[in-house]
Structure formats: structure tokens, C-alpha cells
Amino acid sequence: MPSVWRGDQLGSPVSAVWPSGFAALDAQLPGGGWPGHGLTEILAPLGGGTLEWRLLGPALRRICADGPPVVLVGPPLQPHPPGLRFDGIGAHRLVWVRADTPAERLWSAEQLIKAQACGALMVWLPQARAVEIRRLQVLAAGFDAPVFVCRPSRALRESSAAPLRLWVEAGLDWTLQVRMVKRKGPPLDGTLTLASVPGSLQALITPRLRQPSLWVPPRQQDAEKESQGHVVVRTPAPAEPRHSPAAH
């Protein structure tokens, strides 16, 4: 029966989905994109929220282009409109709610979800408790748009009512390393590698700088020169003084 979901299959969304902008990620997301009617939890190292923006930026750009605003609640740093504009996200489509305390952030998110007041919601809840995440999930179940809850990586050890949880960190060569911690469907073994050059660098970065890990180390360059008949002479480093154990 099509209405029956089996645990070894990816779940189907109960509403529309929004493409993430990463084909490899969409292939692993239930329904093929970021879902509405539920929380999506983004787990990332503590910082300025850069990784969250790099992961969600392509989807937020499409949502903003469709008209409804994107609301930010309690971002770690004040949003930078010129940088977001490079990602195609206009400042006139963003609403920033300054909420400093955990209680203010939670209350603001709850009211926005109840009011169906945005095209997408991003809320940073570094100190949220399991019962608070569950309450948000109950409310988000009736919300048409995607709700992204950004939490620190340490929350990975905690249980969560969010039906979709992703862990993200920075990788080599402007990539994002994404692991799907929880989804409606079979577990995903391994890590997804997503190409993600920040929009502000797209027009400035050279082809070589797009893959800095391919740079040849100096020692390897010397070996190559020697193999081609070029001798590289280096002054030996001075020996470090030895200390007698009695001196300590």
C-alpha cells in the first residue's frame, strides 16, 4: 500500500519540500529536499554560524526569491547583508529577531511558528533541552515552511524529537562534510562531501585556490627538482641544546 511507510525506505514528505541546492544531499533527504511540517536540526561546531549559512544558503535563496521572508532568531553574529547579497539573499527578505536569552529565543520561535509568519525559520538554540525541542516539533508539525534549529555539535549526544538531524563541519577545498544523524528511513553510513564555496568568494577565488589541498609541499618540490638534476642546498638547522635531567 502506498500509504504505508517501511523502515527500510526513505520517508515521503507530508508537505512540499525545498531543494537544498546540493544534488547529493537531496538524494538522501526524505522527499528530496528540506521538509516542512517538522524540525530540521543542524549540528555544527560553535562559532559564528558560518557553516549553517553555507549549508542552508542555496535553499534560503530560492525561498527569498519566491517572496516570503526568512526569519532569523538569535544568530551568533549580526547578519552581514553585503555577504548575504553575494549568495542571492536580499536584506529586504530577511527579518532578524534579536533574542539574547534562551527563553527569548524559544518564545520567539514558538510565536513565529504559530503565526505561520515566514517562508523559513532559522533559530539558534545552543542550550535547548529535550522537552523544549519536543514542544517546538509539536508546533512545527502544523507549520507549512521549513524550520531549522541550529545547535552545537555536543548536542549530538542528546536525544531529540526532530525527525531530521544533520551534523556538519568544514572539509578540505571549500567542502562541507555532512553526516545524516537521523532521518525517516534507513541510516546513512558514511559522510557526504558537498562543494560549497562561499558566494562572496565565487568571483574572486582562482582555480588553484579552489583546491588548496593539491598544492605541492615544499619538500616534495625539492625532491622533484633533485630528480630532474637540480640540487637544492639548504642550511642545516642548528641542533637543539640537550638538557641534563639534573638541571630540572
Side-chain angles (χ1 to χ4, degrees):
M1 296 177 61
S3 60
V4 177
W5 169 70
R6 297 179 57 183
D8 60 348
Q9 300 174 342
L10 282 181
S12 300
V14 295
S15 65
V17 296
W18 290 259
S20 70
F22 303 98
L25 180 57
D26 285 343
Q28 301 299 334
L29 290 171
W34 299 121
H37 290 275
L39 299 183
T40 296
E41 204 170 72
I42 308 297
L43 307 171
L46 285 174
T50 304
L51 295 181
E52 295 95 311
W53 281 109
R54 287 174 60 186
L55 180 64
L56 301 178
L60 298 181
R61 177 170 61 245
R62 297 189 182 193
I63 292 172
C64 288
D66 291 338
V70 172
V71 179
L72 318 174
V73 177
L77 296 176
Q78 179 175 341
H80 186 240
L84 293 174
R85 189 162 55 246
F86 277 109
D87 281 326
I89 302 174
H92 63 291
R93 294 296 186 188
L94 286 179
V95 177
W96 172 33
V97 178
R98 182 169 181 176
D100 298 325
T101 68
E104 290 174 344
R105 295 178 183 184
L106 187 64
W107 183 87
S108 299
E110 290 176 350
Q111 302 312 307
L112 288 163
I113 293 173
K114 290 178 181 178
Q116 303 270 341
C118 54
L121 172 63
M122 287 181 68
V123 54
W124 280 262
L125 295 173
Q127 299 171 322
R129 296 175 298 168
V131 64
E132 294 169 337
I133 296 296
R134 181 173 296 279
R135 188 163 73 237
L136 276 183
Q137 167 58 23
V138 171
L139 292 173
F143 187 46
D144 296 331
V147 178
F148 301 103
V149 177
C150 304
R151 304 181 69 194
S153 298
R154 64 173 181 268
L156 184 63
R157 300 188 297 267
E158 304 172 7
S159 62
S160 172
L164 182 61
R165 305 183 81 195
L166 288 85
W167 169 88
V168 58
E169 70 172 359
L172 294 174
D173 300 334
W174 307 103
T175 63
L176 295 176
Q177 300 296 309
V178 177
R179 184 155 56 93
M180 205 158 295
V181 180
K182 179 182 177 183
R183 65 176 177 176
K184 188 177 181 180
L188 176 65
D189 296 328
T191 302
L192 299 174
T193 299
L194 309 178
S196 175
V197 177
S200 58
L201 299 179
Q202 287 282 359
L204 302 176
I205 197 168
T206 65
R208 186 184 183 192
L209 290 177
R210 287 179 180 270
Q211 291 185 298
S213 67
L214 297 182
W215 294 354
V216 181
R219 290 184 181 276
Q220 185 174 343
Q221 291 179 9
D222 294 347
E224 292 175 354
K225 290 180 180 179
E226 290 175 357
S227 65
Q228 296 171 3
H230 301 283
V231 178
V232 178
V233 179
R234 294 187 182 275
T235 303
E240 296 183 359
R242 296 183 177 179
H243 299 280
S244 171
H248 300 282

